[in-house]
């Protein structure tokens, strides 16, 4: 009887751990499109070499500063990883250009997928910076 209980509890723990790992690292939490100037794109890592990039999105930043409304020009940074070598090779040649990319957002990063939770899977458009 005691062995049966330990077996059932062990099975429940293993299944719960498997579900947690799937949701945390493989479930696509969201996906979307980002556009901006491709600031950098590199291949880096000690054990797992992954492609990492940064897009700078210009825009207005509004907020309250000491009771006064503050509308200043600011920039937003979108850090991402890229798994697809074909997409990564194309992005390597796009530094300084305006790019529009499609990405998937995960709840956690995996070392062999990249350092970021956002993973770019395709390029929608590329144009020269204005």
């Amino acid at each position: 009887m005691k062995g049966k209980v330990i077996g059932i509890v062990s099975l429940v723990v293993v299944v719960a751990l498997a579900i947690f790992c799937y949701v945390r690292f493989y479930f696509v939490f969201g996906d979307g499109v980002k556009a901006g100037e491709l600031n950098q794109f590199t291949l880096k890592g000690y054990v797992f070499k992954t492609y990492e990039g940064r897009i700078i999105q210009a825009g207005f930043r509004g907020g309250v500063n000491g009771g006064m409304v503050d509308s200043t020009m600011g920039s937003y940074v979108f850090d991402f990883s890229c798994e697809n070598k074909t997409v990564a090779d194309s992005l390597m040649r796009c530094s300084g250009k305006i790019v529009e990319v499609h990405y998937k957002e995960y709840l956690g990063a995996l070392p062999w997928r990249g350092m970021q939770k956002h993973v770019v899977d395709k390029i929608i458009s590329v144009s020269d910076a204005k």
Side-chain angles (χ1 to χ4, degrees):
M1 182 67 179
K2 186 176 181 181
K4 191 174 185 180
V5 170
I6 291 174
I8 291 172
V9 169
S10 298
L11 180 65
V12 168
V13 168
V14 167
V15 169
L17 185 62
I19 290 171
F20 171 78
C21 288
Y22 172 76
V23 170
R24 178 84 178 156
F25 300 110
Y26 293 99
F27 175 74
V28 177
F29 177 68
D31 67 313
V33 175
K34 291 278 188 182
E37 183 179 344
L38 185 62
N39 181 262
Q40 71 177 22
F41 194 75
T42 60
L43 177 65
K44 62 177 154 180
Y46 293 111
V47 176
F48 298 103
K49 295 289 187 183
T50 59
Y51 294 98
E52 307 295 328
R54 173 177 289 160
I55 291 176
I56 305 295
Q57 302 172 289
F60 285 101
R61 184 182 309 180
V64 177
N65 184 9
M68 307 262 311
V69 176
D70 182 23
S71 291
T72 59
M73 190 69 159
S75 63
Y76 301 96
V77 176
F78 175 65
D79 290 320
F80 64 91
S81 297
C82 183
E83 284 183 296
N84 187 324
K85 180 149 175 49
T86 305
V87 173
D89 288 342
S90 296
L91 286 172
M92 281 284 193
R93 294 186 299 274
C94 293
S95 185
K97 295 185 179 180
I98 303 297
V99 296
E100 187 176 5
V101 295
H102 182 268
Y103 69 92
K104 294 179 182 176
E105 180 180 358
Y106 298 93
L107 296 175
L110 290 170
W112 52 88
R113 186 169 60 201
M115 296 170 46
Q116 307 301 325
K117 295 179 185 178
H118 298 94
V119 178
V120 167
D121 58 354
K122 64 182 163 184
I123 301 170
I124 297 172
S125 69
V126 177
S127 61
D128 288 328
K130 297 175 184 168

